[in-house]
Amino acid sequence: MKLRICATWLIMIVFVSCSTVRCSSIWNSVVCTVSTCCTDETILKNFTGLRQELNDNVYGQHIVSYLVPKIVEEHLKNKDPSKALAIAFDGATGTGKNFVASLIARHLYSVGSNVQDSPCVHRFIATMHFPHKNEVEHYKDQLRQWILTNVTAYPRSLFIFDEMDKMPEGVVDAIRPFLEQHHHIDGVNYRKSMFIFLSNAASVIINRMTMEKHADGLKREDIKLKDVERQMRLAAYNDEKHGGFWHSDLIERQSIDFFVPFFPLQRRHVRKCIEDEFLKREYVSSDDDNDVNEVLGEIEFDKHTDFAEAGCKLVANRVLPFLMKGKDEL
């Protein structure tokens, strides 16, 4: 703990006294001496592991499994990207947005097994970090300073913004300069960093398109990114009720590179989530299939669409009674 405190003070001293381009090499040397560096040489970059886990453990999200590892790998392998990578994950509750963001952090940035151990990863939750609508300017100043400090220290930083649909209007516009094609801003290169925004503002659009494809006799897997991305951008931009991106400069200026849809989960997808949860908990039963069906019966599905109301979000807690039953049988 004392080492971390000393390291923090040393970094702050250098940051205050050395914020020009001429000092960048001194800055990086100091930071890499006293702390973990998030540079091209030191971040984990386990692309194979990320791709494998997306294919094996993310259900019903064909665009995510195909697109996300490609764009993330390309950005991290590029020694001199033209801009920071900005991705918006949008879809209904429980469809995997947080899970995929965590997979990216764990496979590409983590130090050890705990993502929270990595100084490269910074997560903001709107209702926790930006709860008051009357403090937008204060939040913007805080956010700019946080990103400036961390990208200066850790060029390959990953910033995850959760609950964008609950973010006060205008807060996220503070980061627009960091997402543009500026070579440097006040001596700092932001182009190697990555930003992921999680929202459900476009979930109605995504769900409707999934239903329409089904009504036309097409598979959900037939939906291409180009079919839905523009509608997602417009939905987020025009959604005053869920105002994080409402009339946002980030959308107006095309600062977000990809809007990635998370499709609603159907019964077959939720079944796989339940099976995974039992496996993860090392649950042993004489009638596994029946137990899976019982848990599935506890999950609410829309009677018209067969979409799970909360995706797989409630699965972990719904299996708890069965875990206790298994212990009683032992």
Side-chain angles (χ1 to χ4, degrees):
M1 180 62 73
K2 288 182 179 179
L3 178 60
R4 283 190 176 185
I5 293 172
C6 292
T8 301
W9 276 106
L10 183 54
I11 289 171
M12 290 303 295
I13 290 170
V14 176
F15 178 74
V16 170
S17 62
C18 185
S19 57
T20 64
V21 178
R22 260 177 49 184
C23 292
S24 62
S25 61
I26 299 174
W27 168 266
N28 287 332
S29 297
V30 170
V31 172
C32 294
T33 300
V34 301
S35 182
T36 301
C37 253
C38 305
T39 64
D40 292 320
E41 292 73 27
T42 58
I43 60 173
L44 190 59
K45 292 191 285 192
N46 180 13
F47 301 121
T48 302
L50 174 63
R51 188 176 293 106
Q52 188 68 46
E53 193 151 3
L54 287 173
N55 286 329
D56 292 348
N57 298 322
V58 177
Y59 304 119
Q61 310 303 343
H62 61 286
I63 292 178
V64 172
S65 297
Y66 171 78
L67 178 67
V68 169
K70 284 180 174 290
I71 58 179
V72 168
E73 181 173 356
E74 177 60 31
H75 181 72
L76 290 179
K77 283 185 173 180
N78 190 342
K79 300 288 187 181
D80 188 29
S82 61
K83 69 181 290 294
L85 179 62
I87 316 170
F89 290 168
D90 207 313
T93 298
T95 51
K97 302 182 296 293
N98 257 298
F99 182 56
V100 172
S102 295
L103 290 182
I104 293 171
R106 176 152 54 86
H107 284 286
L108 306 182
Y109 290 88
S110 64
V111 178
S113 59
N114 189 352
V115 172
Q116 300 306 319
D117 291 339
S118 174
C120 316
V121 179
H122 316 277
R123 182 182 289 269
F124 300 94
I125 301 172
T127 52
M128 179 184 295
H129 296 102
F130 314 108
H132 306 298
K133 293 185 177 180
N134 60 343
E135 295 189 25
V136 169
E137 293 306 316
H138 173 61
Y139 293 150
K140 289 169 76 170
D141 289 340
Q142 280 187 326
L143 192 54
R144 276 190 288 261
Q145 190 60 43
W146 181 263
I147 293 174
L148 167 64
T149 303
N150 281 282
V151 173
T152 304
Y154 312 116
R156 284 292 187 185
S157 284
L158 168 64
F159 299 93
I160 301 171
F161 292 84
D162 196 2
E163 300 182 341
M164 276 302 302
D165 44 292
K166 298 178 178 64
M167 180 88 73
E169 298 165 19
V171 171
V172 76
D173 286 342
I175 72 173
R176 185 184 60 76
F178 309 133
L179 302 183
E180 297 297 317
Q181 295 182 337
H182 302 301
H183 194 265
H184 290 91
I185 301 176
D186 293 334
V188 180
N189 179 1
Y190 295 90
R191 292 174 291 126
K192 292 184 176 183
S193 56
M194 188 186 312
F195 295 78
I196 300 176
F197 306 93
L198 314 180
S199 176
N200 63 14
S203 60
V204 174
I205 297 291
I206 297 167
N207 291 6
R208 183 188 304 147
M209 177 167 288
T210 309
M211 286 189 293
E212 289 172 352
K213 292 291 183 182
H214 179 72
D216 293 339
L218 300 173
K219 298 178 182 178
R220 58 194 287 145
E221 290 79 13
D222 293 327
I223 302 175
K224 308 297 184 187
L225 183 65
K226 64 181 181 181
D227 298 331
V228 68
E229 188 175 24
R230 184 173 184 276
Q231 294 182 55
M232 290 173 63
R233 287 180 187 272
L234 290 174
Y237 184 77
N238 292 315
D239 191 350
E240 185 175 2
K241 184 179 178 182
H242 304 101
F245 280 133
W246 186 65
H247 287 189
S248 171
D249 286 348
L250 269 62
I251 297 179
E252 232 174 62
R253 298 287 294 270
Q254 300 287 320
S255 299
I256 299 177
D257 302 291
F258 297 92
F259 271 76
V260 181
F262 280 69
F263 297 101
L265 301 185
Q266 295 171 287
R267 202 170 297 266
R268 58 193 169 101
H269 306 121
V270 178
R271 170 179 285 277
K272 290 181 179 178
C273 290
I274 297 169
E275 292 171 349
D276 281 354
E277 192 64 29
F278 276 139
L279 187 63
K280 184 171 72 175
R281 304 293 190 96
E282 299 181 345
Y283 175 69
V284 179
S285 169
S286 58
D287 194 354
D288 289 346
D289 195 54
N290 184 61
D291 290 346
V292 170
N293 286 333
E294 280 198 48
V295 176
L296 197 59
E298 296 290 324
I299 305 296
E300 293 186 15
F301 292 85
D302 185 284
K303 62 182 180 180
H304 301 295
T305 64
D306 197 40
F307 296 158
E309 299 283 358
C312 285
K313 185 174 184 176
L314 303 179
V315 165
N317 284 337
R318 292 294 185 178
V319 305
L320 290 178
F322 293 86
L323 301 180
M324 297 308 298
K325 183 182 74 171
K327 289 181 179 179
D328 292 342
E329 289 175 354
L330 292 176

